[in-house]
Amino acid sequence: MTQMDPVGECYQEHGVALSRFATALVGPTDGHDVLAEALASVLATRSGRVRDMRAYLYRAVHRAALKHWRTERRRIGRERSLWTDRKSIRLNSSHTD
């Protein structure tokens, strides 16, 4: 039997709770994506020993959720700006005589 990576062991033990945490932070639609992003980030960047892998994974999920919120806020701002610009153009073109 092969020995599992500490991240894998921790995820196996706390994966359901981590998924619930991600879902609580960003909602059911994006919770699994945020969790996957967090795990990918941990696996790609982790170096050295981690004293508390559970806390490390929860923090990674929280960081991924913050990134998600920032991305969504920027997307909504862009869409709002486009909508406002289109509304302004329609208003201006309807007032030309």
Side-chain angles (χ1 to χ4, degrees):
M1 182 173 195
T2 61
Q3 186 175 4
M4 191 181 296
D5 179 57
V7 174
E9 286 178 13
C10 189
Y11 179 74
Q12 195 167 34
E13 185 175 345
H14 301 288
V16 172
L18 286 163
S19 180
R20 285 188 196 134
F21 180 61
T23 299
L25 292 174
V26 298
T29 304
D30 298 319
H32 291 290
D33 291 338
V34 165
L35 177 58
E37 183 179 328
L39 290 172
S41 175
V42 166
L43 291 171
T45 61
R46 184 173 54 94
S47 61
R49 296 186 60 156
V50 174
R51 191 170 9 146
D52 186 348
M53 184 58 70
R54 180 178 168 269
Y56 190 77
L57 290 179
Y58 270 94
R59 184 67 182 143
V61 170
H62 186 257
R63 283 193 310 272
L66 290 173
K67 180 179 176 186
H68 173 79
W69 291 330
R70 285 191 299 269
T71 301
E72 282 298 300
R73 189 172 56 224
R74 283 192 300 269
R75 182 188 60 78
I76 289 167
R78 283 191 306 268
E79 288 176 1
R80 186 175 295 141
S81 176
L82 286 172
W83 185 83
T84 303
D85 289 347
R86 287 179 185 159
K87 185 176 176 183
S88 175
I89 291 168
R90 273 186 261 139
L91 289 174
N92 288 338
S93 65
S94 68
H95 290 319
T96 58
D97 292 314

Coordinates of all heavy atoms in Angstrom, one line a residue:
M1 N 0.8 -1.2 0.0 CA 0.0 0.0 0.0 C 0.9 1.2 0.0 O 1.9 1.3 0.8 CB -0.9 0.0 1.2 CG -1.9 1.1 1.3 SD -3.0 0.8 2.7 CE -4.2 2.0 2.3
T2 N 0.6 2.2 -0.9 CA 1.4 3.4 -0.9 C 0.9 4.4 0.1 O -0.2 4.5 0.5 CB 1.3 4.0 -2.3 OG1 -0.1 4.4 -2.6 CG2 1.8 3.1 -3.4
Q3 N 1.9 5.2 0.5 CA 1.6 6.3 1.5 C 1.0 7.5 0.8 O 1.6 7.9 -0.2 CB 2.8 6.6 2.3 CG 2.6 7.6 3.4 CD 3.8 7.9 4.2 OE1 4.9 7.4 3.9 NE2 3.7 8.6 5.3
M4 N -0.1 8.0 1.3 CA -0.7 9.1 0.7 C -0.1 10.5 1.1 O 0.5 10.6 2.2 CB -2.2 9.2 1.1 CG -3.0 10.2 0.2 SD -4.8 10.2 0.7 CE -5.3 8.6 0.3
D5 N -0.1 11.4 0.2 CA 0.4 12.7 0.4 C -0.4 13.4 1.6 O -1.6 13.1 1.8 CB 0.2 13.6 -0.8 CG 0.7 15.0 -0.7 OD1 1.9 15.2 -0.3 OD2 -0.1 15.9 -0.9
P6 N 0.3 14.2 2.4 CA -0.4 14.8 3.6 C -1.7 15.6 3.1 O -2.7 15.6 3.8 CB 0.6 15.7 4.2 CG 1.9 15.1 3.8 CD 1.7 14.5 2.5
V7 N -1.6 16.2 2.0 CA -2.8 17.0 1.5 C -3.9 16.0 1.2 O -5.1 16.2 1.5 CB -2.4 17.8 0.2 CG1 -3.7 18.5 -0.4 CG2 -1.4 18.9 0.5
G8 N -3.6 14.9 0.5 CA -4.6 13.9 0.2 C -5.2 13.3 1.4 O -6.4 13.1 1.5
E9 N -4.4 13.0 2.4 CA -4.9 12.4 3.7 C -5.8 13.4 4.3 O -6.9 13.0 4.8 CB -3.7 12.1 4.6 CG -2.9 10.9 4.2 CD -1.7 10.7 5.2 OE1 -1.7 11.3 6.3 OE2 -0.8 9.9 4.8
C10 N -5.4 14.7 4.4 CA -6.3 15.7 5.1 C -7.6 15.9 4.3 O -8.6 16.0 4.9 CB -5.5 17.0 5.2 SG -6.3 18.2 6.2
Y11 N -7.5 15.9 3.0 CA -8.7 16.1 2.2 C -9.6 14.9 2.3 O -10.8 15.0 2.4 CB -8.3 16.3 0.7 CG -9.6 16.4 -0.1 CD1 -10.3 17.6 -0.1 CD2 -10.0 15.4 -0.9 CE1 -11.5 17.7 -0.8 CE2 -11.2 15.5 -1.7 CZ -11.9 16.7 -1.6 OH -13.1 16.8 -2.3
Q12 N -9.0 13.7 2.4 CA -9.8 12.5 2.6 C -10.6 12.6 3.9 O -11.8 12.2 4.0 CB -9.0 11.2 2.5 CG -9.7 10.0 2.3 CD -8.8 8.8 2.0 OE1 -7.7 8.8 2.4 NE2 -9.3 7.9 1.2
E13 N -10.0 13.1 4.9 CA -10.6 13.2 6.2 C -11.6 14.3 6.4 O -12.6 14.2 7.0 CB -9.5 13.3 7.3 CG -10.1 13.2 8.7 CD -9.0 13.2 9.8 OE1 -7.8 13.0 9.5 OE2 -9.3 13.5 10.9
H14 N -11.2 15.5 5.7 CA -12.0 16.7 5.9 C -12.6 17.3 4.7 O -13.1 18.4 4.7 CB -11.1 17.8 6.5 CG -10.5 17.4 7.8 ND1 -11.2 17.3 9.0 CD2 -9.2 17.1 8.1 CE1 -10.4 17.0 10.0 NE2 -9.2 16.8 9.5
G15 N -12.6 16.5 3.6 CA -13.1 17.0 2.3 C -14.6 17.4 2.3 O -14.9 18.5 1.7
V16 N -15.4 16.7 3.0 CA -16.8 17.1 3.1 C -17.0 18.4 3.8 O -17.7 19.3 3.3 CB -17.7 15.9 3.7 CG1 -19.1 16.4 4.0 CG2 -17.7 14.7 2.9
A17 N -16.3 18.5 4.9 CA -16.4 19.8 5.7 C -15.8 21.0 4.9 O -16.3 22.1 4.9 CB -15.7 19.7 7.0
L18 N -14.7 20.7 4.1 CA -14.1 21.8 3.3 C -15.1 22.2 2.2 O -15.2 23.4 1.9 CB -12.8 21.3 2.7 CG -11.6 21.2 3.7 CD1 -10.5 20.4 3.1 CD2 -11.1 22.6 4.0
S19 N -15.8 21.2 1.6 CA -16.8 21.5 0.6 C -17.9 22.3 1.1 O -18.4 23.3 0.5 CB -17.3 20.2 0.0 OG -18.2 20.4 -1.0
R20 N -18.4 22.0 2.3 CA -19.4 22.8 3.0 C -19.0 24.2 3.2 O -19.7 25.1 3.1 CB -19.9 22.1 4.3 CG -20.7 20.9 4.1 CD -21.3 20.4 5.4 NE -21.8 19.0 5.2 CZ -21.5 18.1 6.1 NH1 -20.8 18.3 7.2 NH2 -22.0 16.9 5.8
F21 N -17.7 24.3 3.7 CA -17.2 25.6 4.0 C -17.1 26.5 2.7 O -17.5 27.6 2.7 CB -15.8 25.4 4.6 CG -15.1 26.7 4.9 CD1 -15.6 27.6 5.9 CD2 -13.8 27.0 4.3 CE1 -14.9 28.8 6.2 CE2 -13.2 28.2 4.7 CZ -13.7 29.1 5.6
A22 N -16.6 25.9 1.6 CA -16.6 26.6 0.3 C -17.9 27.0 -0.1 O -18.2 28.2 -0.6 CB -15.9 25.8 -0.7
T23 N -18.9 26.1 0.0 CA -20.3 26.4 -0.4 C -20.9 27.5 0.5 O -21.6 28.4 0.0 CB -21.1 25.1 -0.3 OG1 -20.6 24.2 -1.3 CG2 -22.6 25.4 -0.7
A24 N -20.6 27.5 1.7 CA -21.1 28.5 2.6 C -20.5 29.9 2.3 O -21.2 30.9 2.4 CB -20.8 28.2 4.1
L25 N -19.3 29.9 1.8 CA -18.6 31.2 1.4 C -19.1 31.7 0.1 O -19.3 33.0 0.0 CB -17.1 31.0 1.4 CG -16.4 30.7 2.7 CD1 -15.0 30.4 2.5 CD2 -16.6 31.9 3.6
V26 N -19.3 30.9 -0.9 CA -19.6 31.4 -2.3 C -20.9 30.9 -2.8 O -21.3 31.3 -3.9 CB -18.5 31.1 -3.3 CG1 -17.2 31.8 -2.8 CG2 -18.3 29.6 -3.4
G27 N -21.6 30.0 -2.2 CA -22.9 29.5 -2.7 C -22.7 28.2 -3.3 O -21.6 27.7 -3.7
P28 N -23.8 27.5 -3.5 CA -23.8 26.1 -4.0 C -23.3 26.0 -5.5 O -22.8 25.0 -5.9 CB -25.2 25.6 -3.9 CG -26.1 26.9 -3.8 CD -25.2 27.9 -3.2
T29 N -23.5 27.1 -6.3 CA -23.1 27.0 -7.7 C -21.6 26.9 -7.8 O -21.1 26.2 -8.7 CB -23.7 28.2 -8.4 OG1 -25.1 28.3 -8.2 CG2 -23.4 28.1 -9.9
D30 N -20.9 27.7 -7.0 CA -19.4 27.8 -7.2 C -18.6 27.2 -6.1 O -17.4 27.2 -6.2 CB -19.1 29.3 -7.3 CG -19.7 30.0 -8.5 OD1 -19.8 29.4 -9.6 OD2 -20.2 31.1 -8.4
G31 N -19.2 26.6 -5.1 CA -18.5 26.0 -4.0 C -17.5 25.0 -4.4 O -16.3 25.0 -4.0
H32 N -17.9 24.0 -5.3 CA -16.9 23.0 -5.7 C -15.8 23.5 -6.5 O -14.7 23.1 -6.4 CB -17.7 21.9 -6.5 CG -18.6 21.1 -5.6 ND1 -18.2 20.2 -4.6 CD2 -20.0 21.1 -5.5 CE1 -19.2 19.7 -4.0 NE2 -20.3 20.2 -4.5
D33 N -16.1 24.5 -7.4 CA -15.0 25.2 -8.1 C -14.0 25.8 -7.2 O -12.8 25.8 -7.5 CB -15.6 26.2 -9.1 CG -16.4 25.5 -10.2 OD1 -16.2 24.3 -10.5 OD2 -17.2 26.2 -10.9
V34 N -14.5 26.5 -6.2 CA -13.6 27.2 -5.3 C -12.7 26.2 -4.5 O -11.5 26.4 -4.4 CB -14.4 28.1 -4.3 CG1 -13.5 28.5 -3.1 CG2 -14.9 29.3 -5.1
L35 N -13.3 25.1 -4.1 CA -12.6 24.1 -3.4 C -11.5 23.5 -4.4 O -10.4 23.3 -4.0 CB -13.5 23.0 -2.9 CG -12.8 21.8 -2.2 CD1 -12.0 22.2 -1.0 CD2 -13.9 20.8 -1.8
A36 N -11.9 23.2 -5.6 CA -10.9 22.6 -6.5 C -9.8 23.6 -6.8 O -8.6 23.2 -6.9 CB -11.6 22.3 -7.9
E37 N -10.1 24.9 -6.9 CA -9.0 25.9 -7.1 C -8.1 25.9 -5.9 O -6.9 26.0 -6.1 CB -9.7 27.3 -7.4 CG -8.7 28.3 -7.6 CD -9.3 29.7 -7.9 OE1 -10.4 29.7 -8.5 OE2 -8.7 30.7 -7.6
A38 N -8.7 25.9 -4.7 CA -7.8 25.9 -3.5 C -6.9 24.7 -3.5 O -5.7 24.8 -3.2 CB -8.7 25.9 -2.3
L39 N -7.4 23.5 -3.7 CA -6.6 22.3 -3.7 C -5.5 22.3 -4.8 O -4.4 22.0 -4.5 CB -7.5 21.1 -3.9 CG -8.4 20.7 -2.7 CD1 -9.3 19.6 -3.1 CD2 -7.6 20.4 -1.5
A40 N -5.9 22.8 -5.9 CA -4.9 22.9 -7.0 C -3.8 23.9 -6.6 O -2.6 23.6 -6.8 CB -5.5 23.4 -8.3
S41 N -4.1 25.0 -6.0 CA -3.2 26.0 -5.5 C -2.2 25.4 -4.5 O -1.0 25.6 -4.5 CB -3.9 27.2 -5.0 OG -3.0 28.1 -4.5
V42 N -2.8 24.7 -3.5 CA -2.0 24.1 -2.5 C -1.0 23.1 -3.1 O 0.2 23.0 -2.7 CB -2.9 23.4 -1.4 CG1 -2.1 22.5 -0.5 CG2 -3.6 24.4 -0.6
L43 N -1.5 22.2 -3.9 CA -0.6 21.2 -4.5 C 0.5 21.8 -5.4 O 1.6 21.3 -5.5 CB -1.5 20.2 -5.4 CG -2.4 19.3 -4.5 CD1 -3.3 18.5 -5.4 CD2 -1.6 18.4 -3.6
A44 N 0.2 22.9 -6.0 CA 1.1 23.6 -6.9 C 2.2 24.4 -6.2 O 3.3 24.5 -6.6 CB 0.4 24.5 -7.9
T45 N 1.8 25.0 -5.0 CA 2.7 25.9 -4.4 C 3.3 25.5 -3.0 O 4.2 26.1 -2.5 CB 2.0 27.3 -4.2 OG1 0.9 27.1 -3.3 CG2 1.5 27.9 -5.5
R46 N 2.7 24.4 -2.5 CA 3.2 24.0 -1.1 C 4.6 23.6 -1.1 O 5.0 22.8 -2.0 CB 2.3 22.9 -0.6 CG 2.6 22.5 0.8 CD 1.6 21.5 1.3 NE 1.4 20.3 0.4 CZ 2.1 19.2 0.5 NH1 2.9 19.1 1.5 NH2 1.9 18.2 -0.3
S47 N 5.4 24.2 -0.2 CA 6.8 23.7 -0.1 C 7.1 23.6 1.4 O 6.6 24.4 2.2 CB 7.7 24.8 -0.7 OG 7.5 26.0 -0.1
G48 N 7.8 22.6 1.7 CA 8.2 22.4 3.1 C 7.1 21.7 3.9 O 6.0 21.3 3.3
R49 N 7.3 21.7 5.1 CA 6.3 21.0 6.0 C 5.3 22.0 6.5 O 5.5 23.2 6.7 CB 7.0 20.5 7.2 CG 8.0 19.4 6.8 CD 8.6 18.7 8.0 NE 7.5 18.2 8.8 CZ 7.6 17.2 9.7 NH1 8.8 16.6 9.8 NH2 6.6 16.7 10.3
V50 N 4.1 21.5 6.6 CA 2.9 22.3 7.1 C 2.6 21.7 8.5 O 2.3 20.5 8.6 CB 1.7 22.2 6.2 CG1 0.5 23.0 6.7 CG2 2.1 22.8 4.8
R51 N 2.6 22.6 9.5 CA 2.3 22.1 10.9 C 0.9 21.6 11.0 O 0.6 20.6 11.6 CB 2.6 23.3 11.8 CG 2.6 22.8 13.3 CD 3.1 23.8 14.3 NE 3.3 25.1 13.7 CZ 3.1 26.2 14.4 NH1 2.7 26.2 15.6 NH2 3.3 27.4 13.8
D52 N -0.1 22.4 10.5 CA -1.5 22.0 10.6 C -2.2 22.0 9.3 O -2.6 23.1 8.8 CB -2.2 23.0 11.6 CG -3.7 22.7 11.9 OD1 -4.2 21.8 11.2 OD2 -4.2 23.3 12.8
M53 N -2.2 20.9 8.6 CA -2.7 20.8 7.2 C -4.1 21.1 7.1 O -4.5 21.8 6.2 CB -2.4 19.4 6.7 CG -2.8 19.2 5.2 SD -1.9 20.3 4.1 CE -0.3 19.7 4.2
R54 N -4.9 20.8 8.1 CA -6.4 21.1 8.1 C -6.5 22.6 8.0 O -7.3 23.2 7.2 CB -7.0 20.5 9.3 CG -8.5 20.8 9.4 CD -9.1 20.1 10.6 NE -10.5 20.6 10.8 CZ -10.8 21.6 11.6 NH1 -9.8 22.3 12.3 NH2 -12.0 22.0 11.8
A55 N -5.9 23.4 8.9 CA -6.0 24.8 8.9 C -5.4 25.4 7.6 O -6.0 26.4 7.1 CB -5.2 25.4 10.1
Y56 N -4.4 24.8 7.1 CA -3.8 25.3 5.8 C -4.8 25.1 4.7 O -4.9 26.1 3.9 CB -2.5 24.4 5.6 CG -1.7 24.9 4.4 CD1 -0.8 26.0 4.6 CD2 -1.7 24.3 3.2 CE1 0.0 26.4 3.6 CE2 -0.8 24.7 2.2 CZ 0.0 25.8 2.4 OH 0.8 26.2 1.4
L57 N -5.5 24.0 4.7 CA -6.5 23.8 3.6 C -7.7 24.8 3.8 O -8.2 25.3 2.8 CB -7.0 22.4 3.6 CG -5.9 21.4 3.1 CD1 -6.5 20.0 3.1 CD2 -5.5 21.7 1.7
Y58 N -8.1 25.0 5.0 CA -9.2 25.9 5.2 C -8.8 27.3 4.8 O -9.6 28.1 4.2 CB -9.7 25.9 6.7 CG -10.8 24.9 7.0 CD1 -10.4 23.7 7.5 CD2 -12.1 25.2 6.8 CE1 -11.4 22.7 7.7 CE2 -13.1 24.3 7.0 CZ -12.8 23.1 7.5 OH -13.7 22.1 7.7
R59 N -7.6 27.7 5.1 CA -7.1 29.0 4.7 C -7.0 29.1 3.2 O -7.4 30.2 2.6 CB -5.8 29.3 5.3 CG -5.2 30.7 5.1 CD -6.1 31.7 5.7 NE -5.6 33.0 5.4 CZ -6.3 34.1 5.2 NH1 -7.6 34.0 5.3 NH2 -5.8 35.2 4.9
A60 N -6.6 28.1 2.5 CA -6.6 28.1 1.1 C -7.9 28.2 0.5 O -8.1 28.9 -0.5 CB -5.9 26.8 0.6
V61 N -8.9 27.6 1.0 CA -10.3 27.7 0.6 C -10.8 29.1 0.8 O -11.4 29.7 -0.1 CB -11.3 26.7 1.3 CG1 -12.7 27.0 0.9 CG2 -10.9 25.3 0.8
H62 N -10.5 29.7 1.9 CA -10.9 31.1 2.2 C -10.2 32.0 1.1 O -10.9 32.9 0.6 CB -10.5 31.5 3.6 CG -11.0 32.8 4.0 ND1 -10.2 33.9 4.0 CD2 -12.2 33.2 4.3 CE1 -10.9 35.0 4.4 NE2 -12.1 34.6 4.6
R63 N -8.9 31.9 0.9 CA -8.3 32.7 -0.1 C -8.9 32.5 -1.5 O -9.1 33.5 -2.3 CB -6.8 32.4 -0.2 CG -6.0 33.0 1.0 CD -4.5 32.9 0.7 NE -4.0 31.6 0.3 CZ -3.6 30.6 1.1 NH1 -3.7 30.8 2.4 NH2 -3.2 29.4 0.7
A64 N -9.2 31.3 -1.9 CA -9.9 31.1 -3.2 C -11.2 31.7 -3.2 O -11.6 32.2 -4.3 CB -10.0 29.5 -3.4
A65 N -12.0 31.7 -2.1 CA -13.3 32.4 -2.1 C -13.1 33.9 -2.2 O -13.9 34.5 -3.0 CB -14.0 32.1 -0.8
L66 N -12.1 34.5 -1.6 CA -11.8 35.9 -1.8 C -11.5 36.2 -3.2 O -12.0 37.2 -3.7 CB -10.7 36.3 -0.9 CG -10.9 36.4 0.6 CD1 -9.6 36.7 1.4 CD2 -12.0 37.4 1.0
K67 N -10.7 35.4 -3.8 CA -10.4 35.6 -5.2 C -11.7 35.5 -6.1 O -11.9 36.3 -7.0 CB -9.4 34.6 -5.7 CG -9.0 34.7 -7.1 CD -8.0 33.6 -7.5 CE -7.6 33.7 -9.0 NZ -6.7 32.6 -9.4
H68 N -12.5 34.6 -5.8 CA -13.8 34.4 -6.5 C -14.7 35.7 -6.3 O -15.2 36.2 -7.3 CB -14.5 33.2 -6.0 CG -15.9 33.0 -6.5 ND1 -16.2 32.5 -7.7 CD2 -17.1 33.3 -6.0 CE1 -17.5 32.5 -7.9 NE2 -18.1 33.0 -6.9
W69 N -14.8 36.2 -5.1 CA -15.6 37.4 -4.8 C -15.0 38.6 -5.6 O -15.8 39.4 -6.2 CB -15.6 37.7 -3.4 CG -16.4 36.7 -2.5 CD1 -17.5 36.0 -2.9 CD2 -16.1 36.4 -1.2 NE1 -17.9 35.2 -1.8 CE2 -17.1 35.5 -0.7 CE3 -15.2 36.9 -0.2 CZ2 -17.1 35.0 0.5 CZ3 -15.2 36.3 1.0 CH2 -16.2 35.4 1.4
R70 N -13.7 38.8 -5.6 CA -13.1 39.9 -6.3 C -13.4 39.8 -7.8 O -13.8 40.7 -8.5 CB -11.6 39.9 -6.1 CG -11.2 40.5 -4.7 CD -9.8 40.8 -4.6 NE -8.9 39.6 -4.8 CZ -8.5 38.8 -3.9 NH1 -8.8 39.0 -2.6 NH2 -7.7 37.7 -4.2
T71 N -13.3 38.6 -8.4 CA -13.5 38.3 -9.8 C -15.0 38.6 -10.1 O -15.3 39.3 -11.1 CB -13.2 36.9 -10.2 OG1 -11.8 36.7 -9.9 CG2 -13.5 36.6 -11.6
E72 N -15.9 38.2 -9.3 CA -17.3 38.4 -9.5 C -17.7 39.9 -9.4 O -18.4 40.4 -10.2 CB -18.2 37.6 -8.5 CG -18.3 36.2 -8.8 CD -19.0 36.0 -10.1 OE1 -20.2 36.4 -10.3 OE2 -18.4 35.4 -11.0
R73 N -17.1 40.6 -8.4 CA -17.3 42.0 -8.3 C -16.9 42.8 -9.5 O -17.5 43.7 -10.0 CB -16.6 42.5 -7.0 CG -17.0 44.0 -6.7 CD -16.5 44.4 -5.3 NE -15.1 44.3 -5.3 CZ -14.4 43.8 -4.2 NH1 -15.1 43.4 -3.2 NH2 -13.1 43.7 -4.2
R74 N -15.7 42.4 -10.0 CA -15.2 43.1 -11.3 C -16.1 42.8 -12.5 O -16.4 43.6 -13.3 CB -13.8 42.6 -11.6 CG -12.7 43.3 -10.7 CD -11.3 43.0 -11.3 NE -11.0 41.6 -11.3 CZ -10.4 41.0 -10.4 NH1 -10.0 41.5 -9.2 NH2 -10.1 39.7 -10.5
R75 N -16.6 41.5 -12.6 CA -17.4 41.1 -13.7 C -18.7 41.9 -13.6 O -19.2 42.5 -14.6 CB -17.7 39.6 -13.6 CG -18.6 39.2 -14.8 CD -19.1 37.7 -14.6 NE -19.8 37.5 -13.4 CZ -21.1 37.8 -13.3 NH1 -21.8 38.4 -14.2 NH2 -21.7 37.5 -12.1
I76 N -19.3 42.0 -12.4 CA -20.6 42.7 -12.2 C -20.4 44.2 -12.6 O -21.2 44.8 -13.2 CB -21.1 42.5 -10.8 CG1 -21.6 41.1 -10.7 CG2 -22.2 43.5 -10.5 CD1 -21.9 40.7 -9.2
G77 N -19.3 44.8 -12.1 CA -19.0 46.2 -12.4 C -18.9 46.4 -13.9 O -19.4 47.4 -14.4
R78 N -18.2 45.5 -14.6 CA -18.1 45.6 -16.1 C -19.4 45.5 -16.7 O -19.8 46.3 -17.6 CB -17.1 44.6 -16.7 CG -15.7 44.8 -16.5 CD -14.8 43.9 -17.3 NE -15.1 42.5 -17.0 CZ -14.5 41.7 -16.1 NH1 -13.6 42.2 -15.4 NH2 -14.9 40.4 -16.0
E79 N -20.3 44.6 -16.3 CA -21.6 44.4 -16.9 C -22.5 45.6 -16.6 O -23.2 46.1 -17.5 CB -22.2 43.1 -16.4 CG -21.6 41.9 -16.9 CD -22.2 40.6 -16.4 OE1 -23.1 40.7 -15.5 OE2 -21.7 39.5 -16.8
R80 N -22.4 46.1 -15.4 CA -23.2 47.3 -15.0 C -22.7 48.5 -15.9 O -23.5 49.3 -16.3 CB -23.0 47.6 -13.5 CG -23.9 48.7 -13.1 CD -23.8 48.9 -11.6 NE -24.3 47.8 -10.9 CZ -23.8 47.2 -9.8 NH1 -22.8 47.8 -9.2 NH2 -24.3 46.2 -9.2
S81 N -21.4 48.6 -16.1 CA -20.9 49.7 -16.9 C -21.4 49.6 -18.3 O -21.8 50.6 -18.9 CB -19.4 49.7 -16.8 OG -18.8 50.7 -17.7
L82 N -21.4 48.4 -18.9 CA -21.9 48.2 -20.2 C -23.3 48.6 -20.3 O -23.8 49.2 -21.3 CB -21.6 46.8 -20.7 CG -20.2 46.4 -21.0 CD1 -20.1 44.9 -21.3 CD2 -19.7 47.2 -22.2
W83 N -24.1 48.1 -19.3 CA -25.5 48.4 -19.3 C -25.8 49.9 -19.2 O -26.6 50.4 -19.9 CB -26.2 47.6 -18.2 CG -27.7 47.8 -18.2 CD1 -28.6 47.0 -18.9 CD2 -28.5 48.7 -17.5 NE1 -29.8 47.5 -18.7 CE2 -29.8 48.5 -17.8 CE3 -28.2 49.7 -16.6 CZ2 -30.8 49.2 -17.3 CZ3 -29.2 50.5 -16.0 CH2 -30.5 50.2 -16.4
T84 N -25.1 50.6 -18.4 CA -25.2 52.0 -18.2 C -24.9 52.7 -19.5 O -25.6 53.7 -19.9 CB -24.4 52.5 -17.0 OG1 -24.8 51.8 -15.8 CG2 -24.6 54.0 -16.7
D85 N -23.8 52.3 -20.1 CA -23.4 53.0 -21.3 C -24.4 52.8 -22.4 O -24.7 53.7 -23.2 CB -22.0 52.4 -21.8 CG -20.8 52.8 -21.0 OD1 -21.0 53.8 -20.1 OD2 -19.8 52.2 -21.1
R86 N -24.9 51.6 -22.5 CA -26.0 51.3 -23.6 C -27.2 52.2 -23.3 O -27.8 52.7 -24.2 CB -26.3 49.8 -23.6 CG -25.2 49.0 -24.2 CD -25.6 47.6 -24.2 NE -24.5 46.8 -24.7 CZ -24.4 45.5 -24.5 NH1 -25.3 44.9 -23.7 NH2 -23.4 44.8 -24.9
K87 N -27.6 52.2 -22.0 CA -28.8 53.0 -21.7 C -28.6 54.5 -22.0 O -29.4 55.2 -22.5 CB -29.1 52.8 -20.2 CG -30.3 53.5 -19.7 CD -30.6 53.2 -18.2 CE -31.8 53.9 -17.7 NZ -32.0 53.7 -16.3
S88 N -27.4 55.0 -21.7 CA -27.0 56.4 -22.0 C -27.1 56.6 -23.5 O -27.6 57.7 -23.9 CB -25.7 56.7 -21.4 OG -25.3 58.0 -21.8
I89 N -26.5 55.7 -24.3 CA -26.5 55.9 -25.7 C -28.0 55.9 -26.2 O -28.3 56.8 -27.1 CB -25.7 54.8 -26.4 CG1 -24.2 54.9 -26.1 CG2 -25.9 54.7 -27.9 CD1 -23.4 53.7 -26.4
R90 N -28.8 55.0 -25.7 CA -30.2 55.0 -26.2 C -30.9 56.3 -25.8 O -31.7 56.9 -26.6 CB -31.0 53.8 -25.6 CG -30.8 52.6 -26.4 CD -31.6 51.5 -26.0 NE -30.7 50.6 -25.2 CZ -31.0 50.1 -24.0 NH1 -32.2 50.2 -23.5 NH2 -30.1 49.3 -23.4
L91 N -30.7 56.8 -24.6 CA -31.3 58.1 -24.2 C -30.8 59.2 -25.0 O -31.6 60.1 -25.4 CB -31.0 58.3 -22.7 CG -31.8 57.4 -21.7 CD1 -31.3 57.7 -20.3 CD2 -33.3 57.6 -21.8
N92 N -29.6 59.3 -25.3 CA -29.0 60.4 -26.1 C -29.5 60.3 -27.5 O -29.8 61.4 -28.1 CB -27.5 60.3 -26.1 CG -26.9 60.8 -24.7 OD1 -27.6 61.4 -24.0 ND2 -25.7 60.3 -24.4
S93 N -29.6 59.1 -28.1 CA -30.1 59.0 -29.5 C -31.6 59.3 -29.6 O -32.0 59.8 -30.6 CB -29.7 57.7 -30.1 OG -30.5 56.7 -29.4
S94 N -32.3 59.1 -28.6 CA -33.8 59.4 -28.6 C -34.1 60.9 -28.5 O -35.2 61.3 -28.8 CB -34.5 58.5 -27.6 OG -34.2 59.0 -26.3
H95 N -33.1 61.6 -28.0 CA -33.3 63.1 -27.8 C -32.8 63.9 -28.9 O -32.8 65.1 -28.8 CB -32.7 63.5 -26.5 CG -33.4 63.0 -25.3 ND1 -34.8 63.0 -25.2 CD2 -33.0 62.5 -24.1 CE1 -35.2 62.4 -24.0 NE2 -34.1 62.1 -23.3
T96 N -32.3 63.3 -30.0 CA -31.8 64.1 -31.1 C -32.9 64.5 -32.0 O -33.8 63.7 -32.3 CB -30.7 63.3 -31.9 OG1 -31.3 62.1 -32.3 CG2 -29.5 63.1 -31.0
D97 N -33.0 65.7 -32.4 CA -34.1 66.2 -33.3 C -33.6 66.5 -34.6 O -32.6 67.0 -35.0 CB -34.7 67.4 -32.7 CG -35.5 67.1 -31.4 OD1 -36.2 66.1 -31.4 OD2 -35.3 67.8 -30.4

